[in-house]
Amino acid sequence: MTPNLASFLYLISSLCFIWALKGLSSPASARYGNYTGMIGMLIATTTTLFMPNVLSLEWILSGILIGGSIGAFIAYRLKMTALPQLMAAFHSLVGLAAVCVAASTLENPDSFGIGVLGHVPFSNLLEMGIGSAIGAITFTGSVLAFSKLQGLLSGKPLSFKGQHILNALLGILLIVLIFLFARTESSFLFWALTGVAFLLGILLILPIGGADMPVVVSMLNSYSGWAACGIGFTLSNPLLIITGALVGASGAILSYIMCKAMNRSIINVILGGFGTPQNDDILSSSQTSQALVKTGSAEDAAYLLQNAQSVIIVPGYGMAVSQAQHVLREMVDLLKSKNISVRFAIHPVAGRMPGHMNVLLAEANIPYEDVFELDEINRDFSTADVAFVIGANDITNPAAKNNPASPIYGMPILDVEKAKTVLFLKRSMAPGYAGVDNELFEKENTMMLFGDAKKMVEHIVKSLD
């Protein structure tokens, strides 16, 4: 394949990726966006395989076969509740790939057409150093985020005195090491800067709590994109540069939008939870609530729902855990058959990653026109007869508006407490992922429905029949 033809096909592939991003911006066009992205990736992969500098198709095809089989197996076994940690795990692989490519380029620069060993240009060494540093931070940061989301580590912020000063010093040291490596082409300095970046990735994610974890997943997505972009410069591959920049920029924009939705400073999150409350503050906050709540049964809930004129459903992580979206669709159909208005309210960070709830509702064929974002529907809770909350704890907690000492203070929430009746479906009185008690449970207009979300909704459906 000639270089001109390869460049043309890479350009087509890049356009497909841009169209894919545009399609993924709306639930109505998300399927089209996915197909366009797959076509772009097929063109990119096929073009690369036929490049003249590819020496061994056997090794590449073996890698595709093994990696594809593992990916297909994971996708088949994956539960939707595990999607956030899977994303974090995949980001870690991109980061590790960036480190491996930089290391192999340093050892065999002539194979990549950037000079001979000991005489690599300063600009190429600088790209290697930056790419390896971003990749190493992405790798360890993603592994730590995976551990927190999987429950292997506590979701609460883990910090120690002087941590931010240590992070700042390590950041300065990393910049100095990258510069010295680019000047000397020293293998020792390369691995030293990579080691510092590995440590910095851990220290940046360690103090970030569960409430900010959706932003972390988005931010790591951005880091992995920039790491891929760095690989593209090292390999002189324009497609990798473009796609890496697309992922990096879109992830950064999404992180900024999410921080605005949560009233968080993106700079504070990037710097490793700078300004977040310490563990003791969170513990004291989570121990203030006592279980003086009104409880009800599925029959009680069915009676209230079928006598309502307007119902707003707020899905959360509890719905994802119990896979209740399909039976919830049955409940919605029954209510609509009784001429009851039913809508869904989605918080920007509902679940544990952006769009988590939208995917689950789409899986249950919930019509797009019934799904509304926070800004579109929040004022309607004051006129709703019933707010049906299904496992959405932190995003409905009035402490975000009323308690300046709360770790989630300032985060915009769905104003479900303004509805005439709040039906809150939950397994227990345990706090949400942010570790904060929900004072909504003790409100006079709140009825708690304790139990598994799927089974409870099934009982409600039977009572509605």
Side-chain angles (χ1 to χ4, degrees):
M1 181 178 293
T2 63
N4 286 340
L5 179 59
S7 298
F8 175 74
L9 292 174
Y10 278 162
L11 177 62
I12 298 295
S13 181
S14 301
L15 290 174
C16 287
F17 293 144
I18 293 171
W19 287 331
L21 284 177
K22 186 176 186 304
L24 291 170
S25 63
S26 166
S29 57
R31 192 183 299 272
Y32 147 78
N34 268 321
Y35 287 144
T36 310
M38 291 163 66
I39 292 170
M41 184 56 71
L42 178 64
I43 295 172
T45 307
T46 307
T47 303
T48 304
L49 288 177
F50 286 95
M51 293 287 282
N53 55 350
V54 172
L55 302 178
S56 173
L57 275 177
E58 293 81 5
W59 281 101
I60 295 174
L61 293 176
S62 298
I64 291 175
L65 183 62
I66 295 171
S69 301
I70 294 173
F73 177 76
I74 292 174
Y76 181 75
R77 297 289 301 272
L78 177 75
K79 295 180 179 178
M80 285 304 296
T81 50
L83 197 57
Q85 45 266 54
L86 179 71
M87 294 298 295
F90 281 175
H91 294 157
S92 74
L93 295 179
V94 177
L96 187 60
V99 174
C100 291
V101 170
S104 61
T105 308
L106 178 64
E107 294 299 323
N108 297 288
D110 51 334
S111 299
F112 297 88
I114 57 172
V116 295
L117 192 62
H119 296 86
V120 178
F122 175 84
S123 59
N124 293 106
L125 291 171
L126 194 61
E127 292 164 6
M128 269 186 250
I130 294 174
S132 181
I134 297 175
I137 291 173
T138 305
F139 174 67
T140 51
S142 299
V143 169
L144 202 63
F146 170 83
S147 302
K148 286 194 171 191
L149 290 165
Q150 188 68 15
L152 303 177
L153 290 176
S154 170
K156 295 177 180 176
L158 300 173
S159 58
F160 53 86
K161 190 175 182 180
Q163 188 171 17
H164 296 304
I165 296 175
L166 177 61
N167 287 351
L169 292 175
L170 286 175
I172 295 171
L173 176 62
L174 184 60
I175 293 172
V176 172
L177 287 173
I178 290 173
F179 180 75
L180 291 176
F181 163 70
R183 290 289 303 273
T184 62
E185 199 182 331
S186 164
S187 295
F188 172 78
L189 289 175
F190 173 81
W191 289 112
L193 75 88
T194 304
V196 170
F198 278 139
L199 179 60
L200 195 56
I202 295 173
L203 293 175
L204 285 175
I205 304 302
L206 204 59
I208 299 178
D212 291 334
M213 198 49 68
V215 181
V216 170
V217 174
S218 172
M219 190 177 66
L220 289 170
N221 178 51
S222 177
Y223 286 176
S224 68
W226 295 122
C229 187
I231 298 173
F233 278 108
T234 304
L235 301 178
S236 299
N237 187 311
L239 178 63
L240 209 48
I241 295 171
I242 294 172
T243 52
L246 284 173
V247 174
S250 58
I253 292 170
L254 180 60
S255 301
Y256 175 73
I257 292 172
M258 291 176 68
C259 281
K260 280 191 69 178
M262 299 169 67
N263 196 29
R264 292 284 197 270
S265 164
I266 190 169
I267 299 299
N268 291 352
V269 175
I270 290 173
L271 293 179
F274 185 83
T276 55
Q278 299 301 303
N279 294 348
D280 292 344
D281 299 331
I282 295 174
L283 288 174
S284 63
S285 172
S286 65
Q287 292 170 354
T288 56
S289 179
Q290 299 296 321
L292 297 174
V293 300
K294 186 194 304 179
T295 61
S297 64
E299 290 76 17
D300 297 328
Y303 176 81
L304 290 166
L305 287 168
Q306 66 188 358
N307 285 284
Q309 292 184 329
S310 173
V311 175
I312 299 178
I313 299 174
V314 180
Y317 188 67
M319 184 188 77
V321 170
S322 65
Q323 289 289 288
Q325 61 270 26
H326 297 285
V327 69
L328 191 64
R329 170 65 193 270
E330 291 183 38
M331 189 187 86
V332 170
D333 289 342
L334 279 171
L335 292 175
K336 284 186 173 181
S337 69
K338 300 176 186 295
N339 295 320
I340 299 170
S341 167
V342 183
R343 291 173 291 172
F344 286 82
I346 305 293
H347 192 279
V349 294
R352 292 188 180 175
M353 66 178 296
H356 197 181
M357 294 301 108
N358 302 75
V359 172
L360 292 176
L361 295 181
E363 184 183 306
N365 292 318
I366 299 292
Y368 301 136
E369 55 269 23
D370 291 345
V371 180
F372 297 87
E373 302 295 331
L374 182 144
D375 293 336
E376 298 172 324
I377 201 171
N378 218 18
R379 67 182 66 178
D380 294 349
F381 279 105
S382 58
T383 59
D385 295 308
V386 175
F388 189 85
V389 185
I390 179 167
N393 204 336
D394 298 326
I395 60 172
T396 61
N397 193 341
K401 296 185 296 184
N402 307 329
N403 184 4
S406 173
I408 62 172
Y409 181 70
M411 180 177 79
I413 61 167
L414 290 164
D415 295 328
V416 297
E417 80 275 11
K418 293 181 179 178
K420 291 178 183 174
T421 302
V422 179
L423 298 177
F424 207 116
L425 209 166
K426 200 174 186 307
R427 288 177 183 271
S428 68
M429 288 289 290
Y433 197 60
V436 183
D437 287 336
N438 194 340
E439 57 188 64
L440 176 68
F441 301 164
E442 302 174 31
K443 298 279 187 184
E444 288 188 0
N445 63 333
T446 300
M447 177 184 288
M448 299 299 296
L449 305 171
F450 289 117
D452 177 79
K454 185 177 180 180
K455 291 180 179 176
M456 181 63 75
V457 177
E458 285 174 348
H459 289 318
I460 293 174
V461 169
K462 288 179 182 176
S463 300
L464 287 172
D465 281 339

